[in-house]
Amino acid sequence: MTTHMTLASAAAPDAPRAARPGRRRLSVVLALAVGTAVLFVLTLATGSHPVPVADVVRILFGATADDPRWTVIVEEVRLPRALTAAGVGAALAVAGLQMQTLFRNALADPFSLGVSSGASMGVAAVVVGTGGVAGSFTGDLAGLGRVGVVIAASLGAAAVLALVLLISRWVRSAVTLLVIGVMIGSAATAVVGVMLVYARPERAQQFVMWGLGSFSATTWPDLQVMLPVIGAGLLTALLTAKRLNALLLGEDYARTMGLNVGRSRDLALFGTALLAGAATAFCGPIAFVGLAVPHLTRVALGTSDHRALIPASMLAGAFLALACALLSQPPGTDSVLPLNAITSLFGAPVVITFLIRSRRGVQGVAS
């Protein structure tokens, strides 16, 4: 009896320790959820014409605001922008997480396979298209305005994805596939450069503005297409969490566990293409989010388990994107700063400091 009590008392202090990682992860997720909700409301409240936070909350719950103009501003202008930022941020973060796991490369991001370059090539074709005999298709798309740009970006991204998936059937090594994707992206970028040489200056300027990225151009009809596509990509990522965990140990070891590596890789590539393609088609190539957020979530949670990382990355990506959307439109002014400049200038110092101060984060990046 004494021995039994001694063992029980010795094991008791270890129980709280075993529970600490779970409590830590839960607290991090809750903090991200609360922070994302706060930023979402602030994004609706701030801008060239400030709206009281209390009225924003009333509008979100279907009540009437004190001033009818605030309802129009929030529902028609700022709510689509905030939903776009949250959705695209979550999409790029999860896509980056999948790419870093699939290729076991800390520098992989959602656009490593050339999806962004393919979308840029499609947009460049529309911008340069004049509607002549040689460019009738792109000219017709250019006549559709923003819808034409979205269609062209989607077609360009889909073309590159189809090529990468076709090549993946003959490539066993994920590293080789990554290099091939980078080469395809470089070739697409070269094609874009050649197109812009023959573009009129004002058309080339349109392409440059698209390349800076923006959350402000989406409308409610855009969201009816974009959000379901992003939702499908996020659901695919959640369903493949166990497969991604197995791939962390290497493809050879995953095969010994009975995992169909080829099918798992195709699912990850397909989900990433849905997420990155939808984000790029509607918002342009948004830099930094997909590269940085996975590292931050690994450090914050202290785990590589995708069952925890994927939901946390969704929230962290949405949080970071909303913060950048808030900073890109200074309160009380009509000016709009380039989104990609904000994501890099604001985000890079924060991430570098966060990783350097965490020994675990530095080790995770090095691996």
Side-chain angles (χ1 to χ4, degrees):
M1 178 68 68
T2 304
T3 305
H4 178 74
M5 294 179 59
T6 303
L7 291 176
S9 60
D14 293 334
R17 289 182 194 172
R20 282 173 194 164
R23 288 201 299 266
R24 172 187 174 183
R25 294 166 195 168
L26 180 60
S27 63
V28 169
V29 171
L30 290 177
L32 285 172
V34 172
T36 302
V38 170
L39 280 180
F40 189 88
V41 173
L42 289 178
T43 303
L44 300 179
T46 58
S48 57
H49 299 284
V51 177
V53 173
D55 285 278
V56 169
V57 175
R58 279 199 288 267
I59 292 170
L60 288 177
F61 283 95
T64 304
D66 293 339
D67 191 334
R69 294 175 300 175
W70 293 341
T71 302
V72 175
I73 291 174
V74 170
E75 291 184 348
E76 300 300 327
V77 179
R78 295 181 183 171
L79 188 55
R81 183 187 70 184
L83 289 173
T84 299
V88 169
L92 294 178
V94 172
L97 175 64
Q98 291 184 100
M99 288 295 95
Q100 290 173 11
T101 299
L102 182 62
F103 297 114
R104 304 182 70 189
N105 190 322
L107 297 179
D109 68 4
F111 307 129
S112 296
L113 296 180
V115 173
S116 175
S117 299
S120 299
M121 185 171 60
V123 173
V126 167
V127 170
V128 177
T130 58
V133 176
S136 58
F137 177 66
T138 57
D140 292 340
L141 285 180
L144 295 176
R146 171 167 169 78
V147 175
V149 171
V150 171
I151 294 174
S154 302
L155 291 175
V160 171
L161 169 66
L163 182 58
V164 171
L165 288 178
L166 180 64
I167 294 174
S168 69
R169 296 184 177 274
W170 292 283
V171 176
R172 288 177 58 87
S173 171
V175 175
T176 302
L177 183 61
L178 176 61
V179 174
I180 291 173
V182 171
M183 294 300 102
I184 292 174
S186 298
T189 301
V191 172
V192 171
V194 172
M195 288 182 180
L196 293 180
V197 168
Y198 298 99
R200 294 199 298 269
E202 63 273 14
R203 289 182 176 267
Q205 182 65 23
Q206 292 175 6
F207 177 81
V208 171
M209 294 302 296
W210 176 83
L212 294 176
S214 174
F215 294 140
S216 303
T218 52
T219 60
W220 284 112
D222 292 335
L223 290 174
Q224 291 175 1
V225 177
M226 184 188 73
L227 292 182
V229 173
I230 289 177
L234 294 176
L235 180 60
T236 302
L238 288 170
L239 294 176
T240 57
K242 291 184 178 180
R243 295 173 181 263
L244 293 172
N245 284 341
L247 289 174
L248 285 175
L249 303 174
E251 293 186 356
D252 293 335
Y253 188 82
R255 287 191 183 94
T256 64
M257 297 174 61
L259 182 70
N260 188 326
V261 173
R263 183 178 300 174
S264 300
R265 186 169 62 183
D266 288 345
L267 282 173
L269 292 176
F270 178 74
T272 299
L274 282 179
L275 296 171
T280 306
F282 287 94
C283 302
I286 308 298
F288 186 80
V289 176
L291 175 63
V293 170
H295 295 303
L296 291 176
T297 52
R298 288 191 194 95
V299 173
L301 296 182
T303 183
S304 295
D305 188 349
H306 288 81
R307 291 172 297 182
L309 281 178
I310 292 175
S313 294
M314 292 181 192
L315 290 171
F319 179 89
L320 180 59
L322 285 168
C324 292
L326 195 62
L327 292 174
S328 66
Q329 292 188 317
T333 67
D334 293 326
S335 61
V336 179
L337 302 177
L339 183 60
N340 276 326
I342 297 297
T343 56
S344 298
L345 290 177
F346 166 71
V350 174
V351 174
I352 290 172
T353 302
F354 194 70
L355 292 177
I356 288 177
R357 293 184 63 180
S358 172
R359 182 184 307 174
R360 198 164 17 190
V362 174
Q363 291 172 348
V365 173
S367 62

